[in-house]
Amino acid sequence: MGIYLNPDSSKFEEAVNSDIYIDKTGLLIYTNSVLHTMQKYICISRPRRFGKSIAANMLTAYYSRGCDTEQLFSQFEISKDMDFKKYLNQYDTISVNMQEILSRSHNVCELISRFGRLIIRDLKNEYPDVDYFDDTDVIECMQDVYAQKKQPFIIIIDEWDCIFREYKENKEAQEKYLDFLRDLLKDKAYVHLAYMTGILPIKKYGTHSALNMFDEFSMIDPGPLARYVGFTENEVKKLCEQYQMDMAEIKNWYDGYSFENGISIYSPRSVVNCMRFGKIGNYWNQTETFEALRIYIDVISMIAGNAVPVNTGSFANDMSTFHTEDDVLTLLIHLGYVSYDYDNKTVKIPNEEVRTEYVNSISASTWGEVSKALKESADTLEAIWQKRPKQVAEAVRQAHFETSHIQYNDENALSYTISLALYAARNFYVIYRELAGGKGFADLVFLPRKKFPEKPAIVVELKWDKTAEGAIAQIKNKEYCRSLEEYEGNILLVGVNYNKQTKEHECVIEEYVK
């Protein structure tokens, strides 16, 4: 047993022994299926705190010859697979967190040298009788071990992309690092599995990628590994039952990363903290700040609920090369700040937790009237509760000024403006757009959260070049409030109209009589 070669299972045991551990050992069924095949190269890219390191530690504990983990894994999904024992603790496993090595190195050359010396030390301790051709060259040493002992390697590299985050502008260092990984991994008989994790997909440079042999599973296309990205909806439902938490609230706050086949993924760290502390809140672990990127992107329309088209194909897979807004949005996908709709090729803010990160950053910054509109949204909500329509109309006008870059020519665009003006309502309400009720769909419905039963429900109808009174009449005539039949509290009706000719907003507020 070594430090990096054939380590023990202690890191994975810590995860299993924690208050909450979700069984993701099904991932091992996939990795077992690609061992010693052309598909043995796997690169996983996920945002921070999405379980990358736990998965890497799980693979280490399963494959490493430095431990006996049959009893540890016998309680999990992998134990039911026919190949469970076939590969269990059968491989020379090299497991490295590259960020840890980089933190003790002054440059990429020193990183590569330190990596080699650490692995060679463990190899010599494990195989002192091997005839090493060049005991200063890690690749030569691994080839010698494989040739003389017939022991293949599984190589697990966590935080593989640290160079591209720490040396964002140093193209020479990046290329040197990629060439090193290529020489270590590509076309080497001693490699039966190479598993790398990071935030970024594999870096492209020139006309080719030095690591083009890898299958990549990312937030854009997780492929068959989608259910191992984070917590699935069923897994979160079970936790809600166990910890007596409201699933609807949890979904609103932490869901939003959706993939093909209807798989919906929740942020693991946030869900775990929410359950442990019994409190819904913002547990987002801020990665790279989007503050420096905001000049490229339409943050306001996304905060208001808009989905933005994106072309992910031009992204250079680094954190400094931004030719277009698409490149920035693609990076934000990988960082977890936006979620990607594979079918529609659009991005949006995934959930309420991440949305608060945007709002907090904007509110504390110098984004002019945008910051002001967000800060004053609580006053606008209070104005609705107090039935002060002129104040509401003025707040909507100000929010319209800030969203004027959005194509403002229909009721849909007006709804984004209302969402910005009433952003503070998210603290008290679950908000529905186009909610079916009666003989049609209400534009916006604000239903109080369970812990705010004293707040009135709000039904909003939007009009364009008509009248606010007509909006109220439509709510009544089409019986939109029938969608709230089970709701026992008060209901306010809000009609908003925008006159394109006069460029004025008007508002009418009435209390609904059941």
Side-chain angles (χ1 to χ4, degrees):
M1 184 179 71
I3 298 175
Y4 301 100
L5 174 66
N6 294 332
D8 63 21
S9 58
S10 58
K11 290 182 179 179
F12 182 56
E13 289 173 12
E14 285 186 358
V16 172
N17 294 336
S18 299
D19 290 342
I20 296 175
Y21 172 72
I22 299 296
D23 182 2
K24 296 294 183 179
T25 60
L27 173 62
L28 294 165
I29 298 174
Y30 179 83
T31 57
N32 283 344
S33 73
V34 300
L35 286 171
H36 199 29
T37 70
M38 296 295 289
Q39 290 74 47
K40 64 186 177 183
Y41 299 101
I42 300 171
C43 184
I44 305 289
S45 57
R46 303 279 186 270
R48 290 197 188 279
R49 301 303 185 183
F50 265 69
K52 299 186 299 297
S53 295
I54 291 177
N57 293 335
M58 177 185 72
L59 266 69
T60 300
Y62 178 77
Y63 290 114
S64 172
R65 291 176 61 242
C67 50
D68 179 359
T69 52
E70 181 175 350
Q71 184 175 355
L72 177 63
F73 282 99
S74 64
Q75 58 188 308
F76 300 127
E77 178 185 352
I78 183 61
S79 66
K80 300 179 179 64
D81 187 72
M82 61 182 294
D83 289 330
F84 168 51
K85 295 183 180 180
K86 181 177 179 181
Y87 304 110
L88 180 67
N89 306 134
Q90 295 299 307
Y91 276 91
D92 275 342
T93 303
I94 293 175
S95 183
V96 174
N97 184 315
M98 203 63 83
Q99 181 69 57
E100 292 179 3
I101 298 179
L102 178 62
S103 67
R104 299 190 173 201
S105 307
H106 295 96
N107 51 58
V108 70
C109 291
E110 192 172 324
L111 164 73
I112 294 169
S113 174
R114 181 178 291 272
F115 175 91
R117 287 185 285 117
L118 290 169
I119 302 305
I120 290 170
R121 180 187 63 181
D122 280 359
L123 285 171
K124 286 184 174 181
N125 288 336
E126 184 79 13
Y127 298 107
D129 57 335
V130 165
D131 180 17
Y132 295 102
F133 172 76
D134 181 354
D135 64 2
T136 65
D137 187 316
V138 66
I139 296 173
E140 292 281 2
C141 289
M142 292 174 70
Q143 290 182 145
D144 290 338
V145 168
Y146 179 66
Q148 297 173 45
K149 297 296 183 178
K150 305 305 179 187
Q151 275 290 352
F153 291 87
I154 284 178
I155 301 176
I156 299 168
I157 301 177
D158 196 12
E159 301 276 9
W160 84 272
D161 60 339
C162 59
I163 287 292
F164 303 100
R165 292 183 274 113
E166 300 287 341
Y167 295 87
K168 296 178 184 179
E169 306 292 340
N170 192 333
K171 304 301 181 185
E172 182 180 352
Q174 293 173 13
E175 293 185 12
K176 188 182 294 293
Y177 176 65
L178 285 171
D179 288 341
F180 160 70
L181 290 179
R182 178 195 61 202
D183 293 342
L184 176 71
L185 303 172
K186 190 171 185 179
D187 298 328
K188 296 298 187 292
Y190 58 70
V191 176
H192 277 205
L193 178 71
Y195 181 93
M196 303 198 309
T197 76
I199 295 174
L200 297 173
I202 290 173
K203 166 71 178 170
K204 305 168 186 175
Y205 72 92
T207 57
H208 302 287
S209 169
L211 302 177
N212 58 5
M213 68 282 196
F214 274 86
D215 286 336
E216 297 194 61
F217 303 98
S218 69
M219 296 298 284
I220 292 175
D221 189 2
L225 305 187
R227 71 186 183 101
Y228 306 114
V229 171
F231 290 173
T232 65
E233 189 146 305
N234 285 336
E235 290 165 346
V236 175
K237 283 180 181 177
K238 291 178 182 178
L239 288 175
C240 286
E241 292 170 4
Q242 179 182 349
Y243 287 86
Q244 298 180 320
M245 299 294 288
D246 187 334
M247 181 62 191
E249 292 276 4
I250 300 297
K251 184 177 181 65
N252 180 58
W253 267 87
Y254 308 119
D255 186 18
Y257 301 95
S258 301
F259 303 126
E260 289 181 283
N261 303 320
I263 296 177
S264 187
I265 294 297
Y266 291 65
S267 170
R269 179 181 188 270
S270 300
V271 171
V272 167
N273 284 345
C274 175
M275 299 297 163
R276 288 181 60 236
F277 302 140
K279 180 181 178 181
I280 291 173
N282 187 351
Y283 302 105
W284 181 256
N285 188 56
Q286 195 170 40
T287 57
E288 307 298 327
T289 177
F290 72 90
E291 180 71 16
L293 307 177
R294 63 183 175 85
I295 60 173
Y296 294 92
I297 59 175
D298 185 4
V299 173
I300 300 306
S301 62
M302 287 197 293
I303 287 177
N306 197 10
V308 178
V310 63
N311 175 7
T312 61
S314 64
F315 183 51
N317 292 359
D318 64 24
M319 305 187 77
S320 61
T321 309
F322 305 121
H323 298 296
T324 65
E325 176 183 351
D326 289 331
D327 293 339
V328 176
L329 289 173
T330 305
L331 173 59
L332 292 177
I333 295 171
H334 295 298
L335 296 177
Y337 274 108
V338 295
S339 60
Y340 180 64
D341 185 323
Y342 187 89
D343 294 327
N344 296 313
K345 303 296 186 289
T346 59
V347 294
K348 65 178 182 179
I349 297 174
N351 53 47
E352 201 58 38
E353 182 186 38
V354 178
R355 194 185 310 273
T356 61
E357 282 297 305
Y358 282 86
V359 172
N360 290 341
S361 180
I362 291 172
S363 297
S365 70
T366 55
W367 283 30
E369 292 299 321
V370 180
S371 301
K372 183 179 179 182
L374 289 172
K375 291 173 184 176
E376 293 182 353
S377 64
D379 294 336
T380 306
L381 179 61
E382 184 69 30
I384 289 179
W385 291 339
Q386 298 297 324
K387 297 193 280 290
R388 298 197 295 265
K390 290 185 178 179
Q391 182 179 341
V392 174
E394 174 59 20
V396 174
R397 184 195 68 79
Q398 290 181 5
H400 171 205
F401 176 77
E402 293 311 315
T403 58
S404 59
H405 60 287
I406 301 174
Q407 192 174 7
Y408 201 73
N409 57 9
D410 57 21
E411 293 169 14
N412 194 46
L414 181 56
S415 71
Y416 299 140
T417 300
I418 298 294
S419 296
L420 181 63
L422 290 176
Y423 183 82
R426 297 175 182 275
N427 297 324
F428 305 96
Y429 293 91
V430 177
I431 304 172
Y432 300 92
R433 292 183 61 187
E434 298 294 330
L435 182 66
K439 303 173 186 177
F441 295 85
D443 286 334
L444 289 163
V445 174
F446 297 74
L447 188 63
R449 300 185 186 278
K450 290 182 179 180
K451 60 182 178 181
F452 299 109
E454 76 283 1
K455 302 300 182 186
I458 303 172
V459 179
V460 180
E461 183 63 25
L462 308 172
K463 288 298 176 186
W464 192 268
D465 274 344
K466 293 181 182 176
T467 65
E469 291 82 359
I472 295 290
Q474 182 170 318
I475 295 174
K476 296 176 180 178
N477 294 337
K478 294 195 174 183
E479 301 177 341
Y480 289 157
C481 292
R482 281 175 55 187
S483 62
L484 303 176
E485 284 181 347
E486 297 181 3
Y487 176 69
E488 297 178 355
N490 294 332
I491 301 175
L492 293 177
L493 311 183
V494 179
V496 177
N497 178 66
Y498 176 71
N499 187 311
K500 189 176 180 181
Q501 194 168 30
T502 63
K503 301 187 183 306
E504 291 183 356
H505 296 81
E506 61 173 335
C507 176
V508 172
I509 303 173
E510 288 187 12
E511 190 159 341
Y512 177 67
V513 180
K514 297 182 181 179

